[in-house]
Amino acid sequence: MHIICTTLNAKYIHTNLAIRYLKAYAAPEFHVELVEYTIKDPVLNIVTDLYRRKPDVVGFSCYIWNIEQTIEVIQLLKKVHPTVTIVVGGPEVSYDVAYWLERVPQFDYIVIGEGEETFKQLLTALQNGDDVANIAGLAFHQDGKAVINPQRNKINLANMPSPFRFPEDIPHLSKRVTYVETSRGCPFSCQFCLSSIEVGVRYFDREKIKEDLRYLMKHGAKVIKFVDRTFNISRSYAMDMFQFLIDEHVPGVVFQFEITADIMRPEVIEFLNREAPPGLFRFEIGVQSTNDEVNKLVMRKQNFDKLTRTVTMVKQGGKIAQHLDLIAGLPEEDYTSFRKTFNDVFALRPEELQLGFLKMLRGTGLRHKANEYGYVFMDRAPYEILRNNVLSFHDIIRLKQVEDVLEKYWNDHRMDETIEYIVTHLFDTPFDFFQSFGTYWDEQGWARIGHQLEDLFRRLYSFLQTLHTNDLPIVEAFMKYDYLRNQKQKPRKPWWDEKTDKSARARVYEKLSEQPYLLSLSEKELFKHTVVEMIPFDLPHYLQTKQVRICNMAMIVYFNQSTMKAETYFLEMEQQVTYE
């Protein structure tokens, strides 16, 4: 019996942990072939590839991001290979099972919930020709009627086999994200999240996990992401794992965790700030909302003061990057309330801030209460909300404008000093900048076309011109500084029109030659590997004091060909040098 487990990942760099557990658990009785695609692959290409492999059984791992494409694949595969047995599982089909059996008759079997043992029992029954009627956690059609068996008891995770010891995975470890789980379940009850449905937290064997991590690092894994819903729910467990990773990590590996920030003790952060190598860890923190009443409505416990303390301490440590999440559209959080939430969290200056939109996931408490809050949402996955009783569709559109420019101009860190100055000096709040710019961006039609790096600078400058601010020359200087210092070599055509004439550059080079300790280069190297721009204020002074001192300053950017990094130098010019 030829068995394939497959899925459509959101991106090529992703890997699916679920199908690897199924393969490991099915062994040695069954050999399972793993095949992964992406949601961008043409459906017919996927069907063709599966057909050529001549499977008897194909299992699909289903999520909100791939369910619709997965259904298309299954329906076509059944047309060209009618005898194949289709098994589906995963969070998207584990709820509203009767709906799925009716909507997609090509689903021969649905594995409900935790699937390793159910899937193996199903394979055994199919191979032996046995009745499947008594397999717990299985749904199917029988005599034209839907049969939905109760879920089985939870698996003892301590006895689970490793999902990482497959030779065919080794060549891909350095190119993809490797997902690891050390626990299943979540201690919290957030009503918008599927994890709230499973009661309690269960742990895998700690020493086996460590052996797996050693194996993954030895064989080239570079990005290892822990999928535990709250990695730090047990302080002793988290500390042990942190210490292990600090002691035994391979240079160049990054470990990512989802943590609950308001329960992290200061001494844990102090330990990490002291002991962890820079860049080894990355934290993902779900904030969602800073409105206490909103959090109560979704049964979410959060102490924002303690969360702020954690994020601030981690940021001050300078070793761990932080990704913070917000959810727009939670019950009773209107546009004004969300604006405050955004500003509360942006004030922490996380390395990344993701603005997401509420999805009414099947099985969640909030979906069951959708009518109570007037939710209107997409009928098909990802079930994103369109409006509710306090947030109109117009509001949603505006917030999506914020999301668009936030991703491009903050999370990608293309112009950090520029954005910091703008949100601090030109607008009442950071949200107001991202909203104003996002609306302008949308109105110009830029959301529907691509862009290059230089386009991002030009478009921001175009927006700033509409403000008629006296600070425009200062912001323009910041933009030039951000653009040049992030280049590896002298740009052929910068985003701005050249404004410093040859004679001005010559005076700068002459003064530079009088100070060889600042930058000692030959005349040829100066002209070949440097850019000179005149700016109207003392930028180094501002970076140190956050105070603007008006003066005539030359900014020299040297593109070091040995290090492939830009070096910036500044000279205050006594003589007036013309700039526009």
Side-chain angles (χ1 to χ4, degrees), residues 558-577:
Y558 167 51
F559 299 95
N560 191 318
Q561 298 305 290
S562 299
T563 63
M564 295 305 291
K565 291 183 179 179
E567 301 171 7
T568 54
Y569 303 89
F570 297 88
L571 285 174
E572 187 169 349
M573 305 298 291
E574 296 87 357
Q575 294 179 337
Q576 181 68 30
V577 178

Side-chain angles (χ1 to χ4, degrees), residues 60-278:
F60 290 85
S61 188
C62 302
Y63 306 85
I64 58 170
W65 64 79
N66 72 9
I67 183 63
E68 295 303 325
Q69 292 98 322
T70 298
I71 291 171
E72 290 183 53
V73 169
I74 290 171
Q75 289 172 336
L76 277 185
L77 185 60
K78 274 288 194 179
K79 284 179 180 289
V80 299
H81 189 3
T83 60
V84 70
T85 298
I86 300 295
V87 186
V88 296
E92 178 53 19
V93 294
S94 287
Y95 305 94
D96 294 346
V97 177
Y99 162 83
W100 289 116
L101 287 173
E102 180 180 357
R103 181 186 164 192
V104 192
Q106 292 86 357
F107 289 174
D108 292 309
Y109 299 99
I110 297 178
V111 173
I112 305 168
E114 204 166 40
E116 290 89 352
E117 192 169 348
T118 299
F119 185 63
K120 187 170 186 177
Q121 287 187 7
L122 173 62
L123 294 179
T124 302
L126 292 174
Q127 179 167 273
N128 298 336
D130 296 338
D131 190 359
V132 300
N134 295 319
I135 298 179
L138 194 67
F140 50 92
H141 280 111
Q142 190 172 61
D143 299 327
K145 295 182 180 180
V147 177
I148 304 174
N149 291 339
Q151 283 187 242
R152 65 177 59 252
N153 293 330
K154 300 299 182 183
I155 292 175
N156 182 351
L157 299 182
N159 299 328
M160 287 285 282
S162 170
F164 303 112
R165 306 306 175 99
F166 308 130
E168 60 267 32
D169 277 341
I170 292 177
H172 306 290
L173 287 176
S174 64
K175 306 167 190 172
R176 297 183 176 181
V177 178
T178 300
Y179 296 91
V180 174
E181 59 178 348
T182 70
S183 65
R184 289 181 181 175
C186 181
F188 303 110
S189 303
C190 305
Q191 294 298 286
F192 51 81
C193 180
L194 282 174
S195 298
S196 65
I197 299 170
E198 183 175 341
V199 179
V201 179
R202 297 170 294 138
Y203 286 90
F204 288 79
D205 182 273
R206 192 181 308 189
E207 295 309 312
K208 287 183 180 178
I209 293 292
K210 291 178 180 178
E211 283 301 318
D212 281 339
L213 292 169
R214 292 186 182 104
Y215 174 90
L216 291 168
M217 288 188 287
K218 178 182 178 181
H219 288 91
K222 297 299 182 186
V223 179
I224 298 176
K225 183 172 181 178
F226 291 82
V227 297
D228 305 62
R229 303 309 300 166
T230 302
F231 185 82
N232 62 316
I233 189 62
S234 167
R235 184 166 65 95
S236 61
Y237 184 85
M239 283 292 287
D240 180 61
M241 292 301 295
F242 286 145
Q243 185 69 69
F244 165 76
L245 297 173
I246 290 170
D247 291 341
E248 300 199 27
H249 75 276
V250 173
V253 179
V254 177
F255 298 96
Q256 301 182 15
F257 310 89
E258 293 187 30
I259 69 162
T260 301
D262 59 342
I263 65 171
M264 183 167 270
R265 301 275 291 273
E267 55 265 33
V268 175
I269 307 170
E270 290 168 356
F271 163 79
L272 293 173
N273 286 345
R274 183 176 65 252
E275 302 292 338

Side-chain angles (χ1 to χ4, degrees), residues 321-336:
Q322 298 177 98
H323 170 112
L324 273 56
D325 290 320
L326 302 178
I327 296 180
L330 292 175
E332 304 303 330
E333 177 134 80
D334 60 14
Y335 181 87
T336 301

Side-chain angles (χ1 to χ4, degrees), residues 46-62:
I46 298 173
V47 172
T48 300
D49 186 64
L50 288 172
Y51 175 81
R52 286 173 174 167
R53 294 173 187 270
K54 297 180 170 57
D56 300 300
V57 177
V58 183
F60 290 85
S61 188
C62 302

Side-chain angles (χ1 to χ4, degrees), residues 263-493:
I263 65 171
M264 183 167 270
R265 301 275 291 273
E267 55 265 33
V268 175
I269 307 170
E270 290 168 356
F271 163 79
L272 293 173
N273 286 345
R274 183 176 65 252
E275 302 292 338
L280 180 63
F281 297 144
R282 171 185 168 89
F283 287 166
E284 296 185 15
I285 300 169
V287 182
Q288 321 313 5
S289 174
T290 62
N291 186 317
D292 290 338
E293 294 305 312
V294 169
N295 284 326
K296 286 178 184 177
L297 291 174
V298 293
M299 298 176 63
R300 179 174 177 79
K301 297 179 180 178
Q302 179 169 271
N303 186 318
F304 187 64
D305 288 338
K306 290 184 177 180
L307 184 150
T308 297
R309 179 189 66 190
T310 294
V311 173
T312 302
M313 287 183 66
V314 170
K315 190 172 183 64
Q316 289 172 345
K319 292 183 174 183
I320 301 172
Q322 298 177 98
H323 170 112
L324 273 56
D325 290 320
L326 302 178
I327 296 180
L330 292 175
E332 304 303 330
E333 177 134 80
D334 60 14
Y335 181 87
T336 301
S337 173
F338 187 80
R339 174 178 179 269
K340 181 180 184 304
T341 283
F342 183 98
N343 286 324
D344 288 343
V345 177
F346 194 86
L348 303 177
R349 298 301 192 268
E351 284 74 18
E352 290 184 11
L353 177 58
Q354 181 173 331
L355 197 172
F357 293 81
L358 179 65
K359 296 170 178 59
M360 305 296 282
L361 303 179
R362 294 181 183 275
T364 58
L366 200 52
R367 180 160 175 144
H368 293 310
K369 291 186 176 181
N371 290 336
E372 183 177 335
Y373 300 109
Y375 279 110
V376 176
F377 55 94
M378 298 174 180
D379 294 329
R380 300 281 175 90
Y383 314 116
E384 192 167 289
I385 70 159
L386 303 173
R387 68 171 188 266
N388 63 20
N389 60 347
V390 298
L391 201 67
S392 68
F393 185 56
H394 176 70
D395 293 332
I396 295 286
I397 292 172
R398 295 178 70 198
L399 292 177
K400 283 188 176 291
Q401 294 168 345
V402 173
E403 177 197 26
D404 192 13
V405 293
L406 176 72
E407 191 66 31
K408 292 179 175 69
Y409 286 86
W410 179 257
N411 291 342
D412 284 348
H413 296 286
R414 293 180 169 110
M415 48 186 91
D416 287 349
E417 294 298 338
T418 301
I419 301 303
E420 183 64 40
Y421 186 87
I422 291 172
V423 301
T424 304
H425 293 83
L426 303 190
F427 287 84
D428 291 338
T429 75
F431 180 88
D432 297 332
F433 160 66
F434 289 107
Q435 181 66 87
S436 297
F437 184 31
T439 300
Y440 180 81
W441 181 283
D442 200 14
E443 290 172 347
Q444 299 302 309
W446 294 334
R448 297 184 294 276
I449 60 176
H451 56 266
Q452 296 180 337
L453 176 64
E454 287 76 14
D455 295 325
L456 294 176
F457 282 85
R458 292 189 190 99
R459 291 170 186 175
L460 176 60
Y461 190 75
S462 173
F463 166 69
L464 294 172
Q465 287 179 309
T466 68
L467 302 180
H468 305 293
T469 172
N470 294 330
D471 281 5
L472 186 58
I474 292 175
V475 180
E476 182 182 18
F478 275 118
M479 293 176 69
K480 292 177 179 178
Y481 171 70
D482 279 331
Y483 175 78
L484 292 171
R485 71 192 178 106
N486 289 315
Q487 302 289 321
K488 292 183 179 180
Q489 54 191 8
K490 183 176 178 178
R492 293 182 179 180
K493 179 66 177 173

Side-chain angles (χ1 to χ4, degrees), residues 8-11 37-43 69:
L8 281 65
N9 293 319
K11 297 180 180 179
Y37 308 99
T38 76
I39 56 176
K40 293 183 179 179
D41 292 332
V43 167
Q69 292 98 322

